[in-house]
Amino acid sequence: MQDANLQELKDARPWYQEIDIGVLQLITVRVNESFNKFFKGAGFPKFKRRHDFKSFSYKPGRIKIKGNKIYLPKIGWMRFYNSRSLPDGFEIKTVTVRQKADGWYVSVRIENKTVPDFPIIPDSEIKTITGCDMGLGKLVYLSDGSSIDNPRFATNKKTKRLMKIRQRRVSRKQKGSKNRSKAQLRVSKLHNRIQQRRESYQWDVANRIVKKADAVTVEDLPVKNMIKRCKPVKSEAGRFLSNGQSAKRGLNRSIADASWYGLTQKLEYLAAKLGKKLYKINPKYTSQTCSKCRQVDKNSRKGEKFICTNCGHIDDANLQAAKNVKTKAIETYGLNIVKKKVRRDSPKPVQTTLFNVGMYERSSDNTLPQKGKRRVGENPEYKQLSLWDI
């Protein structure tokens, strides 16, 4: 219906003639998707002016790329930084142009139907698995006992101070002025730099985790619900009481800065690309279960320490949760995991007592090293002492 009205809109608004017809048609597709989501329970679509659009897309067959130049209909040939050359045999599909704080970016979707899809490994062939527990002190705790640091790109002291200064400068400028736009651009550039650093770090972390084993398992965390505001609390007189939102605000910012959902998406993509699998499990009781006796008790969690109230097992609470995530995935999906083999020629540990320990001293024939040399007597004799000879 909206596509049929495009000709009428172009007659009513002459500046529509300067926009490619494919771009206008894909914008109507966006509107349809927004209303479909609204009818399914999402929020009402927000109407935008032409200056509010930060991206637009071209249909297949409209774009040409030659070296470091790209042809955009109604715009012409433009130079761009070709960060990744297009492989041979691939066809250019949809092309999206996006505006960010530091410039314009082009995303090219390519397709080659002769290239096979990523291999899918069956559950029966998975021999090793790594359990991951997302955290804030450390970004990820792994079931093998290691952990990955959390740089806190947006919530570290230096960045918070710089963001505060730049936002204060925006608020002190007159609304609608060019100086205010320049100050707001500096804030946007800082946000963009934080996002780029976080994305780069998470791709590196995801690569390291996926390469550890045949499969990766994570908790299916409802991150959107975890960073929601606290419900307001009213007294009988109708006044609002303290609901702990001011204290939870810092936790919400830290969770958003860690970007657990974004890291999970990268793990899922890289696992599929490398022929591995990502399993998501229910996070219920993973931090309250003992990995030794499987006892579930919330009193076993003592801050960052885990002390089992049943068997007395002591461990780091987050590493304990990572082990439980791994165990839960094995039980849920029925995986046949190969345990690490122990050397059979290794000596068995023997419990000794004070009287079984041999204590030795040098005899008179065993001379001390001479000056400038580290040579001792050739025939040292040892004498075992008893407990009463010391």
Side-chain angles (χ1 to χ4, degrees), residues 9-271:
L9 291 174
K10 294 175 78 172
D11 295 338
R13 297 172 173 82
W15 56 271
Y16 270 27
Q17 301 289 341
E18 302 175 1
I19 306 175
D20 183 66
I21 184 62
V23 174
L24 294 175
Q25 290 174 350
L26 290 178
I27 288 178
T28 59
V29 173
R30 288 193 196 180
V31 177
N32 290 331
E33 291 179 356
S34 299
F35 275 101
N36 290 335
K37 292 180 180 179
F38 167 68
F39 293 134
K40 293 180 181 180
F44 189 79
K46 182 180 179 181
F47 293 97
K48 297 180 180 180
R49 300 173 298 175
R50 59 177 177 175
H51 301 291
D52 295 334
F53 282 93
K54 300 299 181 183
S55 66
F56 56 92
S57 301
Y58 288 97
K59 284 189 172 182
R62 309 280 294 177
I63 302 297
K64 301 176 184 178
I65 297 178
K66 291 183 180 180
N68 62 341
K69 291 185 178 182
I70 183 171
Y71 175 77
L72 303 176
K74 297 289 185 178
I75 297 177
W77 287 96
M78 299 187 66
R79 293 177 60 190
F80 78 109
Y81 176 70
N82 194 355
S83 60
R84 187 182 306 174
S85 59
L86 300 179
D88 297 334
F90 281 81
E91 180 185 0
I92 298 177
K93 305 296 285 186
T94 307
V95 176
T96 303
V97 182
R98 291 183 178 87
Q99 183 188 17
K100 295 186 178 181
D102 57 346
W104 292 84
Y105 291 80
V106 177
S107 300
V108 182
R109 190 170 73 89
I110 57 178
E111 182 183 13
N112 188 351
K113 295 182 180 180
T114 61
V115 176
D117 295 333
F118 294 140
I120 300 176
I121 181 173
D123 294 344
S124 59
E125 296 183 8
I126 294 177
K127 303 302 180 183
T128 56
I129 187 171
T130 302
C132 303
D133 179 66
M134 306 295 178
L136 296 178
K138 300 286 186 179
L139 182 60
V140 186
Y141 296 86
L142 303 177
S143 57
D144 59 1
S146 61
S147 59
I148 299 176
D149 292 334
N150 183 14
R152 297 179 177 269
F153 294 107
T155 55
N156 63 73
K157 188 175 181 180
K158 183 178 179 180
T159 305
K160 287 171 64 177
R161 181 178 179 274
L162 183 58
M163 183 67 70
K164 182 179 179 180
I165 292 173
R166 293 192 179 185
Q167 289 177 339
R168 186 195 306 148
R169 290 174 179 171
V170 173
S171 63
R172 290 180 177 179
K173 300 293 188 298
Q174 185 178 357
K175 290 186 178 181
S177 64
K178 291 187 177 180
N179 287 334
R180 186 182 179 92
S181 300
K182 293 177 183 178
Q184 183 61 49
L185 182 60
R186 295 189 188 98
V187 176
S188 301
K189 286 185 176 180
L190 181 57
H191 279 295
N192 186 58
R193 187 174 67 182
I194 292 171
Q195 180 188 4
Q196 290 178 344
R197 294 178 63 191
R198 184 190 295 121
E199 290 286 323
S200 176
Y201 183 75
Q202 286 192 348
W203 280 115
D204 180 59
V205 170
N207 266 300
R208 283 189 284 168
I209 294 175
V210 170
K211 291 179 180 179
K212 282 180 175 286
D214 296 337
V216 182
T217 175
V218 296
E219 295 174 314
D220 191 9
L221 296 172
V223 181
K224 186 177 180 179
N225 297 334
M226 295 173 67
I227 59 178
K228 279 186 176 180
R229 292 180 59 88
C230 299
K231 293 183 178 180
V233 179
K234 284 187 177 182
S235 63
E236 297 179 355
R239 295 181 178 180
F240 287 98
L241 303 177
S242 177
N243 61 348
Q245 176 58 35
S246 59
K248 190 175 182 296
R249 179 176 57 185
L251 177 63
N252 292 346
R253 290 176 178 175
S254 298
I255 294 176
D257 186 25
S259 186
W260 295 335
Y261 181 73
L263 179 58
T264 303
Q265 284 185 315
K266 295 175 180 62
L267 287 171
E268 188 173 8
Y269 170 78
L270 290 176

